[in-house]
Amino acid sequence: GGSAVIDMENMDDTSGSSFEDMGEMHQRMKEEEEEEAEGEAGAGEEEDGEFLGMKGLRGQLGRQVADQMWQGGKRQASRAFSLYANIDILRPYFDVEPVQVRARLLESMIPVKMINFPQKIAGELYGPLMLVFTLVAILLHGMKTSDTIIREGTLMGTAIGTCFGYWLGVSSFMYFLAYLCNAQITMVQMLSLLGYGLFGHCITLLVTYNIHFHSLFYIFWLVVGGLSTLRMVAVLVSRTVGHTQRLILCGTLAALHMLFLLYLHFAYHKVVEGILDTLEGPNMPPFQRVARDIPVVSNAVSNTTAKAIALTL
């Protein structure tokens, strides 16, 4: 039995080497043919001056045309292939059940104190993406209920820019920091972690845009925002070794996350109003700046929807 195996291996080796030899021979023959062709072209030139080696020229032209066609076809094929490949690459990140998303939303508010081994992070982007869009919708809703005049395009653009900018920008920055601090986390996991961390922001802003009490906002900011931040910090701590690294990583993330919520609540409207003023000129007729009085009906409706959402979650 053993000898047969050895024979097989030897055969494999020889077959491999014979293939290589064939390849080399083929290459050599090709080169010789080309040299011959060049020689013939040269001979033609010597024989007949005005003939200008047409044979060689024609060969080159044919080769160039074939080359260009091949390159063009290859480019188109690779473009189509890469599109399908990219869609396939993204598919697993969005393949998730609604039940899982709901569970992860709830988990994003519950910090787990488990430091000895790395906590699991879902490498999924459906929930985070939906939360970012929800945050955009809440910001637009907040702008509409405040005394800003609605100019849809600019508002939509700034809201999307702010939310996606924070999500992608801070994720990239934190991933870079994590790389420096030797934390075990991938970019997708970072995006997922931070995306689900925005759930607290969504709840806080939805409640405080509809019920205008500063003390209530601060309570929500500390409790809800604090819980979602603690959850992310706990996960990062479990994936990082070394006290200094943990301090740098978690301190930065906590500061950025909590400050972003403060910014959205206090400064965002002012900033957008500033942008709108610079775009359209500050000298607006005074009668246009009318505070929007929300009718009691819509207030009741929004409260009941908020309650319904709370119950379903």
Side-chain angles (χ1 to χ4, degrees):
S3 63
V5 171
I6 290 163
D7 286 346
M8 284 297 286
E9 280 177 9
N10 288 352
M11 270 172 68
D12 281 356
D13 285 352
T14 51
S15 63
S17 61
S18 66
F19 273 128
E20 283 164 22
D21 293 347
M22 286 289 284
E24 277 175 25
M25 276 165 63
H26 187 66
Q27 189 69 29
R28 228 173 282 144
M29 277 164 70
K30 220 175 180 185
E31 279 168 12
E32 279 167 17
E33 275 173 20
E34 278 173 15
E35 277 169 20
E36 275 173 25
E38 280 167 20
E40 278 173 20
E45 270 176 32
E46 282 163 19
E47 281 171 19
D48 200 347
E50 67 269 16
F51 190 61
L52 287 175
M54 279 304 279
K55 200 172 179 185
L57 199 68
R58 202 176 294 145
Q60 278 180 331
L61 269 173
R63 210 174 295 161
Q64 276 182 339
V65 171
D67 242 20
Q68 278 175 342
M69 283 172 69
W70 163 247
Q71 289 295 337
K74 198 165 105 178
R75 216 171 295 133
Q76 274 183 329
S78 66
R79 208 174 291 152
F81 180 73
S82 68
L83 178 68
Y84 284 117
N86 288 345
I87 292 169
D88 266 355
I89 287 164
L90 289 176
R91 193 171 290 145
Y93 300 129
F94 291 90
D95 184 21
V96 63
E97 296 295 321
V99 184
Q100 286 176 311
V101 174
R102 200 164 57 195
R104 282 169 192 163
L105 284 176
L106 289 173
E107 281 169 17
S108 77
M109 301 301 297
I110 306 161
V112 183
K113 197 186 175 190
M114 183 177 68
I115 297 172
N116 300 331
F117 63 97
Q119 290 183 30
K120 194 169 175 286
I121 306 174
E124 161 264 302
L125 298 178
Y126 174 76
L129 201 63
M130 291 304 112
L131 276 171
V132 175
F133 279 124
T134 308
L135 195 58
V136 170
I138 292 169
L139 285 182
L140 289 175
H141 165 73
M143 292 297 284
K144 285 180 182 180
T145 54
S146 72
D147 53 1
T148 316
I149 318 141
I150 306 303
R151 301 177 195 69
E152 289 297 337
T154 321
L155 287 186
M156 192 76 175
T158 44
I160 287 178
T162 306
C163 299
F164 272 94
Y166 172 77
W167 182 44
L168 298 171
V170 174
S171 294
S172 311
F173 177 64
M174 290 311 300
Y175 175 67
F176 174 65
L177 263 189
Y179 174 73
L180 292 182
C181 295
N182 285 334
Q184 309 164 331
I185 191 164
T186 64
M187 185 66 196
V188 173
Q189 286 176 328
M190 195 74 234
L191 283 168
S192 180
L193 187 66
L194 195 75
Y196 276 116
L198 289 172
F199 184 49
H201 287 25
C202 290
I203 294 173
T204 308
L205 292 174
L206 192 63
V207 171
T208 53
Y209 277 160
N210 291 311
I211 307 160
H212 303 280
F213 290 125
H214 276 303
S215 53
L216 182 78
F217 169 74
Y218 283 118
I219 292 165
F220 264 81
W221 179 67
L222 277 173
V223 175
V224 180
L227 279 174
S228 72
T229 306
L230 273 176
R231 159 76 184 180
M232 297 198 302
V233 165
V235 171
L236 275 182
V237 164
S238 75
R239 286 174 168 265
T240 319
V241 181
H243 289 292
T244 325
Q245 285 94 321
R246 282 175 179 174
L247 203 64
I248 293 169
L249 208 55
C250 300
T252 312
L253 183 63
L256 286 170
H257 205 62
M258 296 299 271
L259 286 172
F260 182 58
L261 185 47
L262 279 181
Y263 165 76
L264 287 182
H265 189 260
F266 291 112
Y268 175 73
H269 294 178
K270 307 286 177 291
V271 170
V272 173
E273 278 180 31
I275 292 170
L276 296 179
D277 283 346
T278 52
L279 283 178
E280 308 206 353
N283 49 0
M284 307 205 70
F287 64 86
Q288 270 192 314
R289 282 236 173 238
V290 182
R292 294 199 156 213
D293 294 326
I294 319 156
V296 184
V297 181
S298 75
N299 228 351
V301 169
S302 64
N303 285 351
T304 47
T305 50
K307 279 176 193 162
I309 290 167
L311 284 172
T312 52
L313 287 177

